[in-house]
Amino acid sequence: AQSVTQLDSQVPVFEEAPVELRCNYSSSVSVYLFWYVQYPNQGLQLLLKYLSGSTLVESINGFEAEFNKSQTSFHLRKPSVHISDTAEYFCAVSDAGGTSYGKLTFGQGTILTVHP
Amino acid sequence: DAGITQSPRHKVTETGTPVTLRCHQTENHRYMYWYRQDPGHGLRLIHYSYGVKDTDKGEVSDGYSVSRSKTEDFLLTLESATSSQTSVYFCAISEAQGNEQYFGPGTRLTVT
């Protein structure tokens, strides 16, 4: 079985400050890792994912995450946040094996609030 | 945006009544999923489908059943709704394992 722990339920920051949202996972097999974002009253949207290869992955809107296998972490970072980044962020893991059917296990979510 | 809709978007029902939520996709994706979202729990998988008439249980399947008779439709049924099933339900679709899951807009279900 897999599990995901997001270490902070809420993260308040000021606009243009850097931010890190922490995610740790537990799994006995190889995994795929994802970050999803949910804006108020909307469904989830993929922010970025790690499948294989380079351990540093980036999104088109300035977020990045680094896969650290030894620490079983996939922390999300942004060097300078905007008001529009205010949302809830979910870390998720999927078994990379052939019979997982792409099922996702989600963390509890981190609410990022960017203040002016 | 991926072509995925959910109906109804909001529903209030009484304890003990049956409820069916519908997920419809126009992307012809193989995989479909039902999740529920509750504060402090993130999203939890209820059931999933890996093809027409091929379904299996997820983490929190008790009290729920599903059916998929066509590629485009995935139905979630609460046979006898309970207050603990008050939640926001999301449907998701995916073309292949490891691919992005596209989420629907959600259904807010309240069981009184």
Side-chain angles (χ1 to χ4, degrees), chain A residues 15 21-22 61 66 69 71 81-82 94:
Chain A
E15 193 173 19
L21 307 183
R22 297 178 294 168
N61 56 354
E66 185 162 18
K69 187 174 182 179
Q71 297 187 9
V81 294
H82 303 289
S94 174

Side-chain angles (χ1 to χ4, degrees), chain A residues 32 34 36 38 41-44 46 49 51 88 90 95-104 106-108, chain B residues 9 30-31 33 35 37 40-45 48 50 57 90 97-105 108:
Chain A
Y32 298 139
F34 305 82
Y36 282 83
Q38 183 180 33
N41 300 312
Q42 294 186 25
L44 278 70
L46 181 70
K49 66 181 179 181
L51 302 183
E88 189 162 16
F90 293 94
D95 182 350
T99 58
S100 76
Y101 303 114
K103 295 175 291 181
L104 292 175
F106 284 88
Q108 302 90 330
Chain B
R9 294 292 314 281
R30 177 183 177 188
Y31 300 98
Y33 312 85
Y35 296 91
Q37 182 178 21
H41 292 276
L43 281 79
R44 292 177 291 176
L45 182 66
Y48 63 99
Y50 46 95
K57 297 178 179 179
F90 285 100
Q97 184 174 307
N99 281 28
E100 173 180 0
Q101 285 192 18
Y102 297 95
F103 284 79
R108 184 172 296 276

Side-chain angles (χ1 to χ4, degrees), chain B residues 62-96:
Chain B
D62 286 350
Y64 302 95
S65 62
V66 291
S67 66
R68 190 171 179 196
S69 58
K70 299 184 290 185
T71 298
E72 58 266 35
D73 289 325
F74 192 31
L75 304 181
L76 177 70
T77 297
L78 290 67
E79 302 291 347
S80 177
T82 67
S83 59
S84 65
Q85 293 176 313
T86 292
S87 186
V88 180
Y89 291 85
F90 285 100
C91 176
I93 63 174
S94 178
E95 189 170 19

Side-chain angles (χ1 to χ4, degrees), chain A residues 2-68:
Chain A
Q2 299 162 329
S3 65
V4 178
T5 302
Q6 292 183 239
L7 297 163
D8 306 290
S9 59
Q10 297 191 52
V11 174
V13 294
F14 287 108
E15 193 173 19
E16 298 184 4
V19 70
E20 177 179 79
L21 307 183
R22 297 178 294 168
C23 172
N24 286 99
Y25 69 93
S26 173
S27 177
S28 59
V29 298
S30 296
V31 297
Y32 298 139
L33 293 158
F34 305 82
W35 275 100
Y36 282 83
V37 59
Q38 183 180 33
Y39 299 102
N41 300 312
Q42 294 186 25
L44 278 70
Q45 304 170 33
L46 181 70
L47 193 58
L48 46 75
K49 66 181 179 181
Y50 170 79
L51 302 183
S52 64
S54 172
T55 57
L56 184 66
V57 291
E58 299 177 349
S59 72
I60 58 173
N61 56 354
F63 283 93
E64 64 179 31
E66 185 162 18
F67 169 54
N68 188 319

